C-alpha cells in the first residue's frame, strides 16, 4: 500500500521538479492565470472561444501535415501516386488526409467567425488595434495556406485551377506578368510550380502563422481580453484603462475558471473534423495532372468558389479592376477598421453599419458560392463550334486550323466573332496586331497562365492553327 502511495506521488513530484527548474510558476502559470474581466457582473462567455478553437485546428493541421509529408512526394511524376497511396493503402492515411482536408475548411470558417465576433463586439477598438491587425494577417495567411494546398493534389482539377488563377493574375495591370511568374515559378505551371507551392505551404506560411499566433497571444495577454460590450458605454481613450483595471480587480482567473470553455470548444472542433474524416474520408482525386490534356472543367475548393463566380459573371472589360480591386478593397478595409474607428460605441445594437458590413458581404458571397457550383468561370470544353461566318471561304490549311482551334479547346478560352470563351483575349482580329512568329511562339510556349501546346500539337498542326488565326484580320 505504501508503495502505491509512493507511485501516486510521482506525477506531482515530477511536476514540482519541472516547475522549479523552469520557473513555470512565474512564466506559464502566470500567463494562464491572468485575470479576465467581469463587466456588470457578467463574465466572458461562449462567444470568446472561437480563437482557441481556431488555434486547436491549426495545431491539428500541423500534426496531420507532418504525417502527410512523411509519405507525400512533391514531384510531378510522384505526387499524384503518393496521394493515392496515402488515401488507399497507408495505415490511417485516408483519415489523416481527410482530417487535413476538412481541417482546412474548418480553419477558414473559424478564422472568419472569430474576426466577425471581434468586429461586432467592437473588440478591435482602443487599446487592441494591434490585435486586430495581427488577426487580419492571420486571415490572409490562412487563405494563402488553403490556396497553396490545392495544387499539391496534382490532379486535373488542381492543375487547371492554378492555371486559371495564374491567367487571372496575368490580367492585373502593371504587375500582372510579375505576379504570374511569382505564382507559377516561371512561364507555365509545372514541376517548379509544384515545388514552390509545396515549400510555401509546408514551410513559409506555417512559419508566418506561428509568428503571428505568438504575437497575437502576447497582445491578448498583454492588453487583456476585451470585456463584453455594453450598449451606451462607449470606449473613451482617456478613461478606458482605469475602467478596465477596475474590472480586472473583480475579474476571474483565465485558468481554470474560464479556460474550460476554450478547452471544450477546441475539443468539439477537433472531434467534428475527425468524425468527418472518419465517416466521409479523404476527398477523391480526379485524373492525374496532364498539361497536354486541356479538356477539363476544374473547380476550386468551396471557399474560393464565390470569388471565381464573380470572375465568370462580370463583363470582360472589368476583369482587371475586379481581380486587383476586390481583394485590395477587402484587405484595405480590414486593416483600416481599427485606425478609423478606435473609440466610440462597441455594442452591435448601436452600430447598424457594422451589422450591414457583415451581413451584406456574407449573403452576397454565399449566393455567389451557390452560383459558382454551376458557374462557367472555367468554360465547358465540349460541344463548341465556330460560326459559319468564320469558317466560310477558308483554304484547306486554314480549315484544318479552324478544326484544331475547336478540338484543342482554344475555342473554350478565346472568342471569335462573339462565339467561344472569354477567359483569354478575343482573337477576332488577332492577325491585325500580332505577327506569325509571335502567334506561333505564344501557342507553343504558353505564358501568362496559358498552357504550352508544344507537347500536344504536331509541327504541321501548329502551322495549320497559326494559318487559321492569320485569317482573322
Amino acid at each position: 500500500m505504501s508503495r502505491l502511495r509512493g507511485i501516486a506521488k510521482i506525477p506531482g513530484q515530477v511536476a514540482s521538479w519541472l516547475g522549479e527548474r523552469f520557473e513555470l510558476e512565474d512564466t506559464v502559470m502566470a500567463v494562464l492565470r491572468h485575470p479576465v474581466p467581469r463587466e456588470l457582473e457578467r463574465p466572458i462567455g461562449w462567444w470568446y472561444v472561437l480563437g482557441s478553437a481556431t488555434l486547436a485546428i491549426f495545431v491539428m493541421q500541423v500534426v496531420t501535415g507532418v504525417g502527410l509529408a512523411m509519405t507525400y512526394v512533391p514531384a510531378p511524376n510522384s505526387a499524384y501516386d503518393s496521394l493515392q497511396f496515402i488515401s488507399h493503402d497507408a495505415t490511417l492515411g485516408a483519415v489523416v488526409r481527410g482530417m487535413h482536408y476538412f481541417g482546412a475548411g474548418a480553419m477558414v470558417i473559424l478564422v472568419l467567425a472569430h474576426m466577425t465576433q471581434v468586429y461586432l463586439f467592437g473588440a478591435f477598438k482602443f487599446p487592441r488595434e494591434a490585435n486586430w491587425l495581427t488577426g487580419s494577417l492571420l486571415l490572409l495567411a490562412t487563405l494563402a495556406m488553403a490556396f497553396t494546398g490545392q495544387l499539391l493534389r496534382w490532379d486535373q482539377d488542381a492543375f487547371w485551377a492554378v492555371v486559371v488563377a495564374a491567367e487571372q493574375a496575368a490580367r492585373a495591370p502593371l504587375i500582372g506578368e510579375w505576379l504570374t511568374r511569382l505564382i507559377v515559378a516561371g512561364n507555365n505551371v509545372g514541376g517548379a510550380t509544384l515545388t514552390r507551392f509545396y515549400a510555401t505551404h509546408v514551410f513559409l506560411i506555417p512559419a508566418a502563422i506561428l509568428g503571428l499566433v505568438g504575437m497575437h497571444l502576447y497582445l491578448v495577454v498583454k492588453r487583456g481580453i476585451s470585456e463584453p460590450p455594453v450598449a451606451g458605454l462607449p470606449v473613451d481613450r482617456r478613461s478606458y484603462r482605469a475602467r478596465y483595471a477596475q474590472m480586472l480587480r473583480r475579474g476571474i482567473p483565465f485558468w481554470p475558471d474560464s479556460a474550460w470553455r476554450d478547452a471544450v470548444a477546441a475539443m468539439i472542433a477537433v472531434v467534428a473534423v475527425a468524425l468527418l474524416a472518419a465517416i466521409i474520408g479523404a476527398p477523391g482525386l480526379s485524373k492525374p495532372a496532364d498539361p497536354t490534356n486541356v479538356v477539363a472543367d476544374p473547380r476550386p475548393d468551396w471557399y474560393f468558389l464565390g470569388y471565381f463566380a464573380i470572375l465568370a459573371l462580370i463583363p470582360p472589360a472589368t476583369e482587371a479592376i475586379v481581380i486587383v480591386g476586390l481583394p485590395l478593397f477587402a484587405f484595405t478595409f480590414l486593416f483600416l477598421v481599427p485606425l478609423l474607428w478606435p473609440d466610440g460605441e462597441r455594442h452591435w445594437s448601436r452600430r447598424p453599419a457594422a451589422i450591414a458590413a457583415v451581413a451584406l458581404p456574407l449573403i452576397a458571397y454565399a449566393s455567389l458560392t451557390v452560383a459558382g457550383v454551376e458557374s462557367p468561370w472555367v468554360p465547358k470544353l465540349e460541344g463548341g463550334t465556330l460560326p459559319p461566318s468564320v469558317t466560310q471561304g477558308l483554304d484547306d490549311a486554314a480549315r484544318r486550323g479552324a478544326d484544331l482551334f475547336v478540338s484543342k479547346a482554344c475555342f473554350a478560352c478565346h472568342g471569335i466573332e462573339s462565339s467561344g470563351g472569354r477567359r483569354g483575349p478575343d482573337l477576332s482580329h488577332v492577325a491585325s496586331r500580332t505577327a506569325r512568329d509571335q502567334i506561333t511562339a505564344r501557342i507553343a510556349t504558353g505564358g501568362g497562365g496559358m498552357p504550352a501546346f508544344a507537347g500536344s500539337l504536331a509541327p504541321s498542326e501548329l502551322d495549320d492553327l497559326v494559318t487559321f488565326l492569320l485569317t482573322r484580320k
Side-chain angles (χ1 to χ4, degrees), residues 82-133:
S82 65
L83 273 183
Q84 290 285 45
F85 173 79
I86 290 171
S87 301
H88 302 292
D89 300 311
T91 303
L92 295 177
V95 175
V96 173
R97 183 168 166 252
M99 289 180 67
H100 200 70
Y101 171 79
F102 289 111
M107 193 166 173
V108 171
I109 292 173
L110 287 170
V111 169
L112 288 172
H114 180 49
M115 293 198 70
T116 300
Q117 176 262 318
V118 169
Y119 180 67
L120 291 178
F121 276 42
F124 60 86
K125 294 180 180 290
F126 177 86
R128 299 179 182 87
E129 298 94 332
N131 300 46
W132 174 269
L133 295 176

Side-chain angles (χ1 to χ4, degrees), residues 44 129 188 236 249 332 337 342 417 419 453 457:
I44 63 173
E129 298 94 332
N188 302 290
D236 180 10
R249 279 194 285 272
T332 299
V337 159
E417 301 296 343
S419 297
F453 285 84
L457 286 172

Side-chain angles (χ1 to χ4, degrees), residues 12-25:
Q13 293 171 346
V14 172
S16 177
W17 188 91
L18 291 173
E20 183 178 353
R21 299 311 186 274
F22 290 94
E23 298 184 0
L24 299 181
E25 187 68 28

Side-chain angles (χ1 to χ4, degrees), residues 217-258:
L217 292 177
Y218 167 80
L219 290 170
V220 168
V221 174
K222 190 70 176 177
R223 296 299 183 191
I225 296 175
S226 176
E227 73 280 8
V230 177
L233 190 62
V235 173
D236 180 10
R237 279 182 274 188
R238 293 171 297 180
S239 60
Y240 179 79
R241 291 184 183 276
R243 183 166 64 83
Y244 187 77
Q246 181 64 31
M247 282 186 282
L248 290 185
R249 279 194 285 272
R250 62 175 184 270
I252 57 175
F254 176 74
W255 175 270
D257 296 52
S258 182

